[in-house]
Amino acid sequence: MPNFILICRDKPNSLELRMETRPAHLDYFNAYGPGGLVAGPMLDDNGKPKGSVLIIEAEDQAAAEAFAQNDPYAKAGLFESVEIQPMALAAGAFVSKT
């Protein structure tokens, strides 16, 4: 199944919204099962979240976009922008060694 990277940038001054929505976001990502490869916040110079990076498996670009649109963070209006790009995993823990 193809892999996609999602780069989601928070709106300015939205840390409180992020923290309020975080449990629902984590539940959503974890419910995606093995198709959710990795996720975590991008950090500002003070170590505070300013966005998210996720790597997922999805059937196609449309499925990756649907995943992003249904994320509780997106539904809460947290993101200023969301970029979704196909990617190939070439090295690391998620690459098959066979």
Side-chain angles (χ1 to χ4, degrees):
M1 191 172 318
N3 301 302
F4 295 86
I5 186 166
L6 289 68
I7 302 168
C8 311
R9 292 179 171 79
D10 293 357
K11 292 178 180 173
N13 304 310
S14 59
L15 182 58
E16 185 175 326
L17 176 59
R18 170 178 276 275
M19 299 315 292
E20 290 171 359
T21 315
R22 186 172 187 267
H25 163 75
L26 292 175
D27 287 347
Y28 177 74
F29 184 80
N30 289 327
Y32 195 61
L37 300 179
V38 68
M42 295 184 290
L43 304 176
D44 66 16
D45 293 338
N46 297 313
K48 303 288 186 197
K50 67 176 187 177
S52 298
V53 173
L54 302 91
I55 300 176
I56 64 167
E57 293 178 332
E59 294 275 331
D60 52 26
Q61 182 80 24
E65 289 171 4
F67 175 86
Q69 291 168 356
N70 287 304
D71 185 324
Y73 278 164
K75 287 185 170 190
L78 175 66
F79 298 135
E80 181 173 70
S81 66
V82 175
E83 179 182 351
I84 302 172
Q85 294 291 318
M87 70 170 295
L89 297 176
F94 298 103
V95 177
S96 173
K97 306 295 188 220
T98 60

